[in-house]
Amino acid sequence: MPDLSMSPVRASTRATRVRRRLVAAAAAVTLLGVASACDSAADANDTITQGGTLRVVLPALPDHLDPQKIAAAMDANISRLISRTLTTYKAEPGTASSELVPDLATDLGRPSENNTVWEFKLREGVKWEDGSPVVCSQLKHGVERNFAKVFDSGLPYAELMLADNATPYEGPYGGKELDSVTCEDTKTIKFRLKQPAGDFNYTVALSIFSPAKPGADGEKDAYDLRPQSNGPYRVEPREKDATGFTLVRNEHWSSSLDSVRKAHPDKIVFVVDANDPAVTNALIQDQGADRNTVMLQNNVAPNFLQQVINDPKLSQRVAQGPSGSVRYFAINTEMIKNVDCRKALAFAFNKRKYRQAMGGSVIGELATSMIPPNLAAHAKFDHYRTLTDSDGDEEEALKLIDKAKKDGSPCPDKLRVALPDNDTIARYVKTMVDAYVRIGIKVELNRLPAKPYWGLIADISHGNHLVYAGWIPDWANGSAVIPPLFDGALVKPSGEQSGSNYSFLNDPEINKALADAMAEDDLNRQYKLWGEIDSRLSEMAATIPVLYPNSIRMYGSNVAGAFIHSQFGAPDLASLGLKDPSIPVDVTSSAS
């Protein structure tokens, strides 16, 4: 899914034929000798006292809270406090955070008929915020909502994996039902899939498989601002143009029926502040409301990074670890059709300077592929010599530009690059501007509004040659990276969303290779196929992978339980709490 660390991002994908339970290597790491914020669940939580108000700083408001519209990692992290799913991930540090556990369901599901049918039994006693029980028909309704056109911003797993009706299903609002999702009784739901999926229980951990009450979701925009909760918190009413929002306790949630969410604070206040240096400085000063504050999606600002990680006291207030994501630029293959021109852009990109602007090597490893190195499907290749010359190769780029001109298909001498409207991101991207000037290409930075950014760049008519993006796999396989980013079936006409295929690549050979990889039963062979496709895509220069970033998030002295969760690449909101709940947040932050 889109990785919102240091910015927003979003996701979609096709189903693999067989995906088995995998554990992503996402343990917290030590950076420049600084230990992780916590080494075990006990260490993370032993100082937390129940109650109080936690303050969470975001770079932008979440795109969505309606679970069927959620695609971004940040939104999913927040949604987990409101909307429960049949399964979910442990709220524990290290590799444990990639382990699946039952949530609304009593177990991890019962597959049958060669993994084409999955049945789940619902837990007794789980209630909505109005006190009514969560029942099977509401789960079915939630799944069916994915088929309605109004939910094209969400992930497409339901449409891609579930068997469709004889007449293509268009959602529940016309009174029709999806035949492949049935309720055996009020507590038993059954899914019939198009093709075998050995780990469909990982798919139902996504927010899009959350329940929704028929009738309560009638006003779609209002429900997006305030979905009904069956988790530990509910959303306080807010205006559409509000700059923040607050979660308060759902009094009908029971900790005895939820083994994952700790729900330590009484209240969680979300505020938007995209000024990373100001937020970092406020957390360093650690006064007033900042004592109860955590940076959720943005890293420590580059100009403060060395100070924070090298100061023994400040470094104790940092959650850090690999994000499990890739930061990249998608090249619009509809606007830059010549492969040599795209290769020239890849060769000329100065990844060393880009990373230096972000804070140096501590911020992550330089990327050569789209599948990150923590996945078994990762293949080692370096077609643009990143690891031997991270400053880029201007000479090779100029040769390719000259070749394209001689071939009668000249490269553009002006590029429009889209990025979220964020000063910190713009500073990183400025290094691209400088690099491309050296090969005779002028770059115009197009700063788009941060909140609708991912929807804007998913429309093929947006008019940008490159777009800033990032990706966190929805599960630990190349099937959660390559198909969502490069499947030609996702490319839609102007005015519609092309999922996360921001390159708008629709190559018949790649499409066939994706289908072949998904049909591969042998998991080790499937890994190899994803790596081979990744290499081919690199040679086509559909994207420029830049970094496998680390997450380095600071928090106030009164915050505890912070660690980087492998599923979100960010602090796990379900685990955070306060040491002293009596410290208020209704005081001015030093960042204000």
Side-chain angles (χ1 to χ4, degrees), residues 434-491:
D434 297 340
Y436 287 167
V437 164
R438 299 173 70 91
I439 58 170
I441 297 176
K442 184 178 180 180
V443 175
E444 174 195 351
L445 297 184
N446 182 20
R447 294 172 60 154
L448 300 175
K451 187 176 185 298
Y453 178 75
W454 305 105
L456 294 173
I457 65 171
D459 187 333
I460 199 168
S461 64
H462 62 59
N464 298 284
H465 296 84
L466 290 91
V467 299
Y468 172 97
W471 190 259
I472 297 178
D474 285 314
W475 53 77
N477 195 355
S479 57
V481 179
I482 302 301
L485 299 182
F486 302 106
D487 192 335
L490 295 172
V491 179

Side-chain angles (χ1 to χ4, degrees), residues 163-472:
D164 204 349
N165 294 353
T167 301
Y169 186 63
E170 296 183 351
Y173 299 110
K176 295 183 178 180
E177 296 185 10
L178 181 64
D179 298 337
S180 57
V181 181
T182 57
C183 292
E184 306 300 295
D185 52 48
T186 60
K187 293 296 179 182
T188 308
I189 189 165
K190 185 178 288 187
F191 300 89
R192 183 169 293 279
L193 311 183
K194 292 179 181 178
Q195 55 189 3
D199 60 354
F200 182 68
N201 48 8
Y202 275 78
T203 308
V204 297
L206 296 168
S207 301
I208 59 169
F209 282 87
S210 295
K213 294 177 69 175
D217 61 337
E219 178 51 57
K220 309 298 186 301
D221 290 341
Y223 196 76
D224 205 6
L225 292 173
R226 191 183 181 281
Q228 283 213 1
S229 170
N230 49 64
Y233 297 96
R234 57 180 175 83
V235 185
E236 281 199 329
R238 57 172 168 145
E239 298 299 323
K240 190 172 184 179
D241 58 353
T243 57
F245 63 100
T246 300
L247 301 185
V248 296
R249 287 199 183 280
N250 170 13
E251 296 177 356
H252 294 284
W253 171 81
S254 170
S255 60
S256 65
L257 300 175
D258 190 339
S259 63
V260 175
R261 298 158 187 83
K262 309 300 189 293
H264 295 300
D266 289 330
K267 183 185 294 187
I268 304 177
V269 175
F270 293 87
V271 297
V272 173
D273 193 335
N275 188 334
D276 299 339
V279 173
T280 303
N281 185 56
L283 286 169
I284 290 173
Q285 300 304 315
D286 196 39
Q287 300 295 313
D290 296 306
R291 291 175 291 175
N292 288 15
T293 297
V294 61
M295 302 173 76
L296 189 67
Q297 288 305 132
N298 284 18
N299 275 346
V300 169
N303 54 315
F304 288 108
L305 190 55
Q306 293 301 322
Q307 175 189 354
V308 169
I309 64 176
N310 288 313
D311 184 301
K313 290 186 177 179
L314 295 179
S315 66
Q316 292 301 309
R317 294 196 282 114
V318 175
Q320 53 189 297
S323 67
S325 66
V326 60
R327 187 77 50 204
Y328 69 100
F329 286 85
I331 301 178
N332 189 330
T333 59
E334 284 295 302
M335 294 184 70
I336 308 179
K337 294 181 181 291
N338 189 310
V339 175
D340 287 329
C341 295
R342 300 200 300 262
K343 286 183 176 180
L345 297 178
F347 270 115
F349 197 104
N350 191 320
K351 296 181 185 180
R352 182 190 63 81
K353 285 189 176 179
Y354 190 97
R355 183 172 67 173
Q356 195 59 39
M358 294 180 69
S361 58
V362 68
I363 209 68
E365 297 179 27
L366 297 179
T368 60
S369 66
M370 294 301 294
I371 299 176
N374 64 305
L375 300 190
H378 173 75
K380 293 184 178 180
F381 53 83
D382 187 13
H383 298 308
Y384 300 97
R385 300 189 282 276
T386 292
L387 302 181
T388 55
D389 186 4
S390 58
D391 283 334
D393 190 333
E394 296 170 21
E395 185 177 344
E396 185 67 28
L398 289 168
K399 285 180 182 177
L400 288 163
I401 290 172
D402 186 55
K403 179 177 180 296
K405 184 176 182 180
K406 288 177 180 177
D407 291 343
S409 181
C411 303
D413 57 9
K414 292 182 180 179
L415 297 176
R416 201 167 187 230
V417 178
L419 66 154
D421 188 12
N422 179 290
D423 289 341
T424 301
I425 296 171
R427 186 167 62 253
Y428 308 154
V429 181
K430 176 65 165 55
T431 63
M432 171 198 277
V433 178
D434 297 340
Y436 287 167
V437 164
R438 299 173 70 91
I439 58 170
I441 297 176
K442 184 178 180 180
V443 175
E444 174 195 351
L445 297 184
N446 182 20
R447 294 172 60 154
L448 300 175
K451 187 176 185 298
Y453 178 75
W454 305 105
L456 294 173
I457 65 171
D459 187 333
I460 199 168
S461 64
H462 62 59
N464 298 284
H465 296 84
L466 290 91
V467 299
Y468 172 97
W471 190 259
I472 297 178

Side-chain angles (χ1 to χ4, degrees), residues 11-270:
S12 69
T13 179
R14 290 175 59 185
T16 68
R17 184 175 180 193
V18 175
R19 294 189 303 268
R20 300 177 187 172
R21 183 180 179 190
L22 302 166
V23 177
V29 298
T30 299
L31 299 178
L32 294 187
V34 181
S36 301
C38 52
D39 297 315
S40 71
D43 292 338
N45 299 321
D46 62 3
T47 61
I48 295 177
T49 303
Q50 204 74 3
T53 301
L54 176 71
R55 182 173 177 268
V56 181
V57 177
L58 309 175
L61 286 172
D63 287 346
H64 301 289
L65 291 180
D66 182 331
Q68 272 72 50
K69 291 184 177 181
I70 285 176
M74 183 183 83
D75 301 8
N77 195 355
I78 297 170
S79 178
R80 196 157 81 134
L81 301 177
I82 307 164
S83 302
R84 296 178 66 177
T85 45
L86 287 167
T87 62
T88 191
Y89 294 87
K90 285 185 176 180
E92 296 180 16
T95 55
S97 67
S98 62
E99 293 181 22
L100 201 67
V101 292
D103 190 6
L104 286 177
T106 58
D107 56 30
L108 294 178
R110 294 173 295 281
S112 60
E113 299 183 34
N114 190 30
N115 291 327
T116 60
V117 174
W118 280 79
E119 184 177 282
F120 297 86
K121 190 81 171 178
L122 272 64
R123 197 181 300 274
E124 293 282 351
V126 180
K127 297 180 180 180
W128 293 93
E129 62 181 68
D130 63 2
S132 61
V134 174
V135 294
C136 179
S137 59
Q138 297 159 352
L139 270 161
K140 176 177 167 65
H141 180 69
V143 176
E144 291 175 335
R145 295 175 89 227
N146 288 278
F147 288 78
K149 291 187 183 300
V150 71
F151 298 106
D152 65 354
S153 62
L155 301 171
Y157 294 102
E159 292 178 84
L160 292 169
M161 299 186 75
L162 297 174
D164 204 349
N165 294 353
T167 301
Y169 186 63
E170 296 183 351
Y173 299 110
K176 295 183 178 180
E177 296 185 10
L178 181 64
D179 298 337
S180 57
V181 181
T182 57
C183 292
E184 306 300 295
D185 52 48
T186 60
K187 293 296 179 182
T188 308
I189 189 165
K190 185 178 288 187
F191 300 89
R192 183 169 293 279
L193 311 183
K194 292 179 181 178
Q195 55 189 3
D199 60 354
F200 182 68
N201 48 8
Y202 275 78
T203 308
V204 297
L206 296 168
S207 301
I208 59 169
F209 282 87
S210 295
K213 294 177 69 175
D217 61 337
E219 178 51 57
K220 309 298 186 301
D221 290 341
Y223 196 76
D224 205 6
L225 292 173
R226 191 183 181 281
Q228 283 213 1
S229 170
N230 49 64
Y233 297 96
R234 57 180 175 83
V235 185
E236 281 199 329
R238 57 172 168 145
E239 298 299 323
K240 190 172 184 179
D241 58 353
T243 57
F245 63 100
T246 300
L247 301 185
V248 296
R249 287 199 183 280
N250 170 13
E251 296 177 356
H252 294 284
W253 171 81
S254 170
S255 60
S256 65
L257 300 175
D258 190 339
S259 63
V260 175
R261 298 158 187 83
K262 309 300 189 293
H264 295 300
D266 289 330
K267 183 185 294 187
I268 304 177
V269 175
F270 293 87

